[in-house]
Amino acid sequence: DIVMTQSPDSLAVSLGERATINCKSSQSVLYSSNNKNYLAWYQQKPGQPPRLLIYWASTRESGVPDRFSGSGSGTDFTLTISSLQAEDVAVYYCQQYYSLPFIFGPGTKVDIK
Amino acid sequence: EVQLVESGGGLVQPGGSLRLSCAASGFTFSSCAMTWVRQAPGKGLEWVSTISDNGINTYYADSVKGRFTISRDNSKNTLYLQMNSLGVEDTAIYYCARTAGGSGYLPVDYWGQGTLVTVSS
């Protein structure tokens, strides 16, 4: 099984500042035949179901603000919130859908400093 | 508008069974793989099971394999999860989710509100 790790476990960022979350997979999730990274990012606010933010590691889902961006390839990925807003307080999860089981990372909690 | 509405959760004793349902609307159900994801109280997300668009291919987490069965009725736009031999470790909110295509190897792009399953004596 692919193991997903995230860092940090939590972070507090001032409003308007940048937040960076890292996700690492124990094996590459880059599929060579289509050159796509099978990696997604989700946001979960308290009391709500998760919401898809980013897929293929860097493609923003429709309706997601452009302050959210994803980057990385192979085994190392990053979710960046360029200018943190109050409504971005949430837990963020990465997930690989390259191979079964489709493991989620443990999550990173983002708060306002 | 895509809507996924779960039902069937509740309190069940250890060793018991429960069947979850998910009514889907707002999209072509028969064209999308579907997934169950669960979240234990205060914990992270755990992928449970995925079924392909035509119901032929099913995939399970090791933690539920042999105990849970995912199925779908494309004529009723409904997804199911039959859960047997439930243990306290199965206590969680169970989310029904749409996979962004017919196979399972795609992200989940819509989620239901979830249904709570509590396993306790």
Side-chain angles (χ1 to χ4, degrees):
Chain A
D1 296 359
I2 296 177
V3 176
M4 306 297 291
T5 57
Q6 289 183 230
S7 63
D9 295 335
S10 64
L11 74 160
V13 175
S14 300
L15 288 172
E17 295 301 305
R18 178 185 299 261
T20 301
I21 301 168
N22 300 301
C23 173
K24 189 175 182 66
S25 58
S26 60
Q27 304 170 39
S28 175
V29 298
L30 175 62
Y31 191 37
S32 56
S33 66
N34 59 12
N35 201 37
K36 288 186 173 182
N37 288 283
Y38 283 54
L39 189 285
W41 288 97
Y42 301 89
Q43 174 195 62
Q44 187 177 31
K45 297 180 180 180
Q48 295 185 18
R51 172 197 182 190
L52 176 64
L53 295 178
I54 303 283
Y55 57 97
W56 303 131
S58 61
T59 301
R60 200 178 301 115
E61 173 71 335
S62 175
V64 172
D66 60 7
R67 63 179 179 273
F68 291 92
S69 63
S71 62
S73 184
T75 61
D76 292 278
F77 301 90
T78 300
L79 175 70
T80 301
I81 309 173
S82 61
S83 175
L84 191 76
Q85 304 300 305
E87 61 265 31
D88 300 334
V89 169
V91 179
Y92 293 84
Y93 297 91
C94 60
Q95 184 206 21
Q96 66 83 16
Y97 46 98
Y98 177 87
S99 69
L100 293 162
F102 301 134
I103 299 290
F104 289 88
T108 295
K109 186 175 181 181
V110 174
D111 272 319
I112 304 296
K113 184 186 291 183
Chain B
E1 178 193 6
V2 173
Q3 285 200 320
L4 300 168
V5 180
E6 303 94 337
S7 61
L11 176 64
V12 60
Q13 291 189 337
S17 298
L18 215 52
R19 188 198 199 198
L20 305 184
S21 299
C22 172
S25 60
F27 66 101
T28 305
F29 183 72
S30 58
S31 295
C32 293
M34 296 296 294
T35 292
W36 289 99
V37 175
R38 69 184 180 184
Q39 187 169 35
K43 302 298 184 182
L45 302 172
E46 180 186 10
W47 172 79
V48 172
S49 182
T50 294
I51 186 168
S52 62
D53 53 357
N54 56 16
I56 291 177
N57 297 306
T58 57
Y59 314 103
Y60 299 94
D62 285 347
S63 58
V64 307
K65 200 172 294 183
R67 300 188 299 121
F68 289 12
T69 301
I70 191 171
S71 62
R72 63 191 297 160
D73 185 337
N74 285 349
S75 68
K76 296 182 178 179
N77 289 352
T78 303
L79 174 72
Y80 303 100
L81 186 67
Q82 177 66 45
M83 304 186 296
N84 299 330
S85 303
L86 285 162
V88 295
E89 68 277 6
D90 297 314
T91 294
I93 296 172
Y94 284 74
Y95 293 104
C96 165
R98 187 184 86 164
T99 303
S103 80
Y105 294 80
L106 290 162
V108 166
D109 61 354
Y110 284 94
W111 301 68
Q113 290 298 309
T115 187
L116 178 62
V117 172
T118 303
V119 185
S120 176
S121 55

